[in-house]
Amino acid sequence: MTLDAQLLGILACPEDKGALYYFPVDEFLYNPRLGRKYMVRDGIPIMLIDEAVAVDAAERHQLQMRIDSERILPTFV
């Protein structure tokens, strides 16, 4: 299930207020600045700092490569 484009246009990280990258197949939003994933459950983004999943250095690198190769755009500019 993909998130609505209008919703994606306003979603920001609850901690640093920056843009996120949406991975619809994996169902999460990613903040590369803080190395955190916010899961999407049943089409609802879980935007709670305490619920965020920390990403290690190897996964951060992998996600950045996907952002670049798949041309994933941030939720806003």
Side-chain angles (χ1 to χ4, degrees):
M1 175 180 282
T2 61
L3 295 178
D4 179 70
Q6 201 169 16
L7 174 62
L8 281 174
I10 61 170
L11 279 176
C13 174
E15 186 164 346
D16 74 0
K17 312 301 186 240
L20 301 166
Y21 292 87
Y22 179 44
F23 291 78
V25 173
D26 305 297
E27 297 187 310
F28 66 81
L29 293 140
Y30 173 60
N31 179 335
R33 298 167 306 283
L34 300 178
R36 292 192 187 140
K37 295 191 295 190
Y38 295 94
M39 306 311 292
V40 176
R41 295 188 194 117
D42 298 320
I44 301 168
I46 311 301
M47 304 303 295
L48 301 169
I49 295 169
D50 293 343
E51 297 270 332
V53 177
V55 176
D56 66 21
E59 189 174 4
R60 285 177 90 155
H61 177 72
Q62 198 172 51
L63 290 172
Q64 188 59 54
M65 288 183 62
R66 283 185 63 192
I67 289 168
D68 296 340
S69 68
E70 297 174 26
R71 295 189 174 117
I72 299 172
L73 299 175
T75 52
F76 62 86
V77 180

